[in-house]
Amino acid sequence: MEEMGRISRGSLVVFLLLFSWVFHGSASVTYDKRSFIIDGQRKILISGSIHYPRSTPEMWPDLIQKAKDGGLDVIQTYVFWNGHEPSPGKYYFEGRYDLVRFIKVVQAAGLYVHLRIGPYVCAEWNFGGFPVWLKYVPGIAFRTDNGPFKVAMQGFTQKIVSMMKAEKLFEPQGGPIIMSQIENEYGPVEYEIGAPGKAYTKWAAAMAVKLDTGVPWVMCKQEDAPDPVIDTCNGFYCENFFPNKEYKPKMFTEAWTGWYTEFGGAIPQRPAEDLAYAVARFIQNRGSFINYYMYHGGTNFGRTAGGPFISTSYDYDAPLDEYGLPSEPKWGHLRDLHKAIKLCEPPLVSADPTVTSLGTNLEAHVYKANSGACAAFLANYDPKSSARVTFGNMQYDLPPWSVSILPDCKNAVFNTARISAQSSQMKMTPASTFSWQSYNEETASAYSEDTTTMDGLLEQINITRDATDYLWYMTEVHIKPDEQFLKTGQYPVLTVLSAGHALHVFINGQLSGTVFGGLSNPKLTFSDNVKLIAGANKISLLSVAVGLPNVGLHFETWNAGVLGPVTLKGLNEGTVDMSSWKWSYKIGLKGEALKIQDTTQSSSVEWVEGSLSAQKQPLTWYKSTFNAPGGNDPLALDMSSMGKGQIWINGESIGRHWPAYTAHGNCGDCSYAGIFHEKKCQTGCGEPSQRWYHVPRSWLKPSGNQLIVFEELGGNPAGITLVKRTMERVCADIFEGQPSLKNSLIGSSKVHSLQSKAHLWCASGLKISKIQFASYGVPQGTCGSFREGSCHAHKSYDALQRNCIGKQSCSVSVAPEVFGGDPCPGSTKKLSVEALCS
């Protein structure tokens, strides 16, 4: 009987677990001023943005698991209208756009979803997520009180909500979706356009609420969000934001983990210490929902990048890098922050804070629950000076620009400026090179049969409907034999004004010059001497779009292409304006029309083999076949020898490459302390804005993979290599006695000062092979560039070599006795260590 009792109790536990999961569903989702309330429980929610089309379905389970391991409760994603409705009424929900599959992967991991239906997304995504056909609906104006726009927007929003309901994906149905967003960062637009904007906001909110999803709706950057819609904050910092009604929770829908990269721009990075500080300040000041934008940025495959001039990489300096690997120390430091916040959850969701000054720029936020639970946040807002504060009869050291978290109001388990997680540096290791065939794209000519001829210059997207980046503008100039320049050699100057984004000028089939704009000013002007001959001269202008704008007041009205004037100066008759001449137009490239990037169509042209293949020729297609490298390491193409163009693997578009556009910016030392902005911590100045282009492993077969590269400028394909992304070195930088979750004794009656530890680990399959640097004392520098300071323990290497060499992971206490004694009594010491993985 006793045995049976045990069995039935065990079965009962299993049944209850299953029951709670199966019916996890019938949970209601509401909110009050403190937080979201799910199934009657108030929750502090940690969320991260992962955009499903910026990775592959094969990557999704690993990305979601790493997000969960990093302490996330929620995955937030936009819904990408132009990906799902490429032409009116024709829907696509397959491959990377399989939204239902993505949400079910999140659900299987036991996480919630915040679905940002928009359907405007911004997101550095082509046309802000709007389908280009929408621009040509008669009478339409985007994102205002406009009938045709509202009909289309409501139609798509209803389509998505109906799909989610049919799949039972909202939380009250047993699904993971606990909230949705309508519109996106509309407040600044409404401010600019006034009354029509206000009317549109009210309409959008009412339309969304009527869809009866059973979960709350939010609007971000929308101070006048109508009830019951919650207004939320986006930015680098949001601690001083409060919603427009006191009964709504305080939510941070986009905590920017970094910033996007633009072609021609340096790579922005946001220090982990500052990001953790922004989050801790938000939570200490009554915040209850925080979402990292981005948690995994991923890749702008194909022609999905917006801007214009947004790079193919959307890494965003996110906690998971473009390839899906943890970006350390950011991933680990935020994981530790989330653990500390969750330890504080009971008092955070049941009380208002008591705020006390501890000195200049020093504050304590204390939360006390009726149950007796207590949590404290000790903050030092000074960007330069550290402080020792007294709180609850104890002393605590606060570095500059930092917050310490005390989940029991006694033990500091985390400080935002003291990183316990290791840092890692990755390397790109060559895995294979290629042998090439080539095919030269023809320079298009006016009046040929595959062109359309019209009077004057036409806007590019109006003609291409964004089916391609490329549009040819062509005309002919007849030069009389008595033109003076034919005798003097002083060739006339051709001037072309374009709305953007790049332009290649061909005279009689020869490249005469290339010009391009940038994100801050897409417009461009070509002005140069052109070599004309007596008789007919073919002027062929290849105008290139580099993504459509995704943000700005009525960005749908912005133009691209050669709008003129186009003039020729230096003829006998002076200057000729060619703008109103007859111009021929050709949409796209011949190679695109023949679909030579597709595996089944690539043999439709004559490819030239090996040493005869074109080198450094503009408008050239290159083709190679290769076998997939072994292992699971992420792969990329090193395109540093190329200029500008596009890449396909097995018919899938990797995206635009443009290594010839080198990065301009202010690169140099970067302190975590002080207000962050996107230009503060830049790297890579003088190098290509993007050198490496992600190749998803799931796109490859074991052998016989086809790589196609279209090159506009004339690069050298012999320099292209396939590389593996692997861990090269790991570092730890640990202060004596710094707060650490591993060292804390939460709930004990007195504060324990336990030894700090440095933890190192190499990726699976790798071991620590060498201690490259170790110094206990006051070492200087950062991972990869550590150096000894004025005080250094001479036995700094011994314990690390003994404990770590040949192991995948190891730890060493940061204390004088480990390193042969105290090298400088009375000063604050730390251990800096760098180890190689192989």
Side-chain angles (χ1 to χ4, degrees), residues 644-680:
K644 178 184 185 301
Q646 296 182 38
I647 312 165
W648 294 264
I649 285 193
N650 294 331
E652 295 275 6
S653 175
I654 295 289
R656 301 181 182 101
H657 70 272
W658 201 349
Y661 209 157
T662 52
H664 304 282
N666 296 306
C667 299
D669 289 343
C670 164
S671 166
Y672 78 85
I675 297 286
F676 180 80
H677 54 86
E678 66 272 19
K679 292 191 165 55
K680 181 179 174 185

Side-chain angles (χ1 to χ4, degrees), residues 323-337:
Y323 304 89
L325 301 174
S327 179
E328 297 283 25
K330 189 172 277 188
W331 183 86
H333 192 46
L334 295 176
R335 172 204 59 204
D336 294 345
L337 167 67

Side-chain angles (χ1 to χ4, degrees), residues 436-741:
W436 295 96
Q437 301 171 296
S438 69
Y439 162 71
N440 282 4
E441 176 76 23
E442 295 168 9
T443 306
S445 303
Y447 315 127
S448 56
E449 18 180 279
D450 57 354
T451 66
T452 305
T453 303
M454 303 178 84
D455 290 333
L457 296 163
L458 303 177
E459 197 274 334
Q460 179 166 341
I461 308 306
N462 202 20
I463 301 176
T464 65
R465 299 295 164 110
D466 198 38
T468 170
D469 281 356
Y470 304 103
L471 179 66
W472 287 99
Y473 291 73
M474 299 155 292
T475 193
E476 283 190 359
V477 178
H478 291 271
I479 297 297
K480 295 172 188 160
D482 63 349
E483 282 288 352
Q484 195 65 25
F485 77 81
L486 292 172
K487 300 189 188 71
T488 63
Q490 283 288 312
Y491 290 109
V493 173
L494 176 68
T495 300
V496 181
L497 270 66
S498 167
H501 306 134
L503 183 71
H504 306 298
V505 177
F506 292 85
I507 307 295
N508 296 321
Q510 295 298 307
L511 182 62
S512 187
T514 292
V515 284
F516 42 86
L519 178 60
S520 56
N521 183 15
K523 294 188 165 86
L524 54 94
T525 301
F526 172 87
S527 193
D528 205 355
N529 300 90
V530 289
K531 192 172 181 179
L532 301 180
I533 56 174
N537 291 265
K538 294 179 176 179
I539 312 274
S540 303
L541 309 175
L542 182 58
S543 180
V544 189
V546 191
L548 301 188
N550 56 266
V551 66
L553 201 57
H554 284 303
F555 64 80
E556 77 272 15
T557 63
W558 298 1
N559 292 325
V562 180
L563 300 180
V566 177
T567 60
L568 197 58
K569 179 184 178 185
L571 303 177
N572 289 356
E573 60 181 298
T575 300
V576 176
D577 188 339
M578 304 156 62
S579 310
S580 57
W581 286 15
K582 283 201 181 304
W583 286 84
S584 293
Y585 295 89
K586 183 184 176 190
I587 297 171
L589 307 166
K590 184 173 182 184
E592 287 180 306
L594 294 170
K595 296 193 170 145
I596 62 175
Q597 72 271 25
D598 288 358
T599 48
T600 54
Q601 304 291 326
S602 67
S603 54
S604 57
V605 299
E606 289 287 323
W607 294 91
V608 178
E609 290 286 346
S611 57
L612 298 173
S613 74
Q615 294 284 316
K616 303 191 176 175
Q617 286 292 309
L619 303 195
T620 304
W621 296 81
Y622 295 101
K623 173 178 161 184
S624 185
T625 54
F626 67 99
N627 298 335
N632 296 317
D633 296 317
L635 301 173
L637 286 166
D638 183 345
M639 299 293 290
S640 53
S641 67
M642 302 302 281
K644 178 184 185 301
Q646 296 182 38
I647 312 165
W648 294 264
I649 285 193
N650 294 331
E652 295 275 6
S653 175
I654 295 289
R656 301 181 182 101
H657 70 272
W658 201 349
Y661 209 157
T662 52
H664 304 282
N666 296 306
C667 299
D669 289 343
C670 164
S671 166
Y672 78 85
I675 297 286
F676 180 80
H677 54 86
E678 66 272 19
K679 292 191 165 55
K680 181 179 174 185
C681 295
Q682 296 183 322
T683 61
C685 293
E687 298 168 16
S689 292
Q690 187 175 349
R691 174 178 173 179
W692 292 290
Y693 295 80
H694 179 207
V695 177
R697 281 225 175 232
S698 59
W699 289 4
L700 299 181
K701 306 174 288 188
S703 61
N705 297 287
Q706 177 180 283
L707 169 60
I708 301 277
V709 175
F710 175 65
E711 173 57 44
E712 295 171 29
L713 300 176
N716 177 13
I720 299 175
T721 52
L722 187 67
V723 297
K724 290 183 176 184
R725 187 166 176 83
T726 57
M727 187 181 274
E728 180 178 33
R729 67 189 74 218
V730 293
C731 299
D733 201 23
I734 308 292
F735 285 83
E736 279 185 313
Q738 77 177 43
S740 165
L741 285 148

